[in-house]
Amino acid sequence: MSNVVVSIRPCDVKSVSYKNEFRAKPGEKINIQVKTNVAVKLAPEHPQNAAVLVRFEAADQATGIELIIETITALTSNTFVDDFEGLIKDEYLNTIVLAANEKIRTVATNVGLNVTTPAMNFGNKDNVVEFKQN
């Protein structure tokens, strides 16, 4: 596998959903819950292509604030890799998630929310979970 060259396209914002029906009164606590899901999607018809999807959700239903951001990062291998998903998770996932975090931070700042993404434990491969797209 030493001859494998993986090309990573820049991280793109796939979708943004923002709802702000702010209902809190002065002095009330705002409790924004933040979560991130990451999925590696392979293309069965093109086994040398894959995408990493990151879904970020920040919401406080009591105050009417909700921000959902999805990013996508495309990867291409120059040759067939038997376990392309494993290679991505082992070698490239941390860099891709860091790039997605920068996009998320930029979008959150543009809509006026001061939120941070939760820490990802890259040593645990179970941290990569599937999520359904709308």
Side-chain angles (χ1 to χ4, degrees), residues 37-112:
N37 289 331
V38 179
V40 177
K41 301 286 187 179
L42 301 175
E45 63 280 355
H46 301 286
Q48 295 171 279
N49 296 337
V52 175
L53 301 166
V54 177
R55 180 181 173 100
F56 172 81
E57 298 178 30
D60 183 1
Q61 299 304 324
T63 59
I65 296 174
E66 180 182 72
L67 174 65
I68 300 171
I69 303 168
E70 289 184 358
T71 66
I72 186 167
T73 306
L75 295 95
T76 305
S77 171
N78 68 334
T79 186
F80 176 78
V81 178
D82 191 33
D83 186 15
F84 196 29
E85 182 177 358
L87 177 69
I88 292 168
K89 289 178 183 177
D90 290 342
E91 301 293 327
Y92 304 106
L93 191 62
N94 55 355
T95 304
I96 292 168
V97 171
L98 289 174
N101 284 349
E102 287 301 313
K103 293 285 186 179
I104 291 165
R105 200 178 71 168
T106 301
V107 171
T109 301
N110 285 335
V111 298

Side-chain angles (χ1 to χ4, degrees), residues 17-24 29-34 57-68 108 111-115:
S17 171
Y18 177 62
K19 180 174 66 172
N20 187 354
E21 300 167 353
F22 194 66
R23 298 184 289 270
K29 184 179 177 182
I30 299 174
N31 186 20
I32 297 178
Q33 300 295 318
V34 177
E57 298 178 30
D60 183 1
Q61 299 304 324
T63 59
I65 296 174
E66 180 182 72
L67 174 65
I68 300 171
V111 298
L113 283 180
N114 184 16
V115 294

Side-chain angles (χ1 to χ4, degrees), residues 111-132:
V111 298
L113 283 180
N114 184 16
V115 294
T116 57
T117 56
M120 294 284 290
N121 180 4
F122 293 112
N124 181 2
K125 291 184 185 153
D126 294 334
N127 216 9
V128 180
V129 296
E130 298 295 326
F131 65 91
K132 297 197 186 266

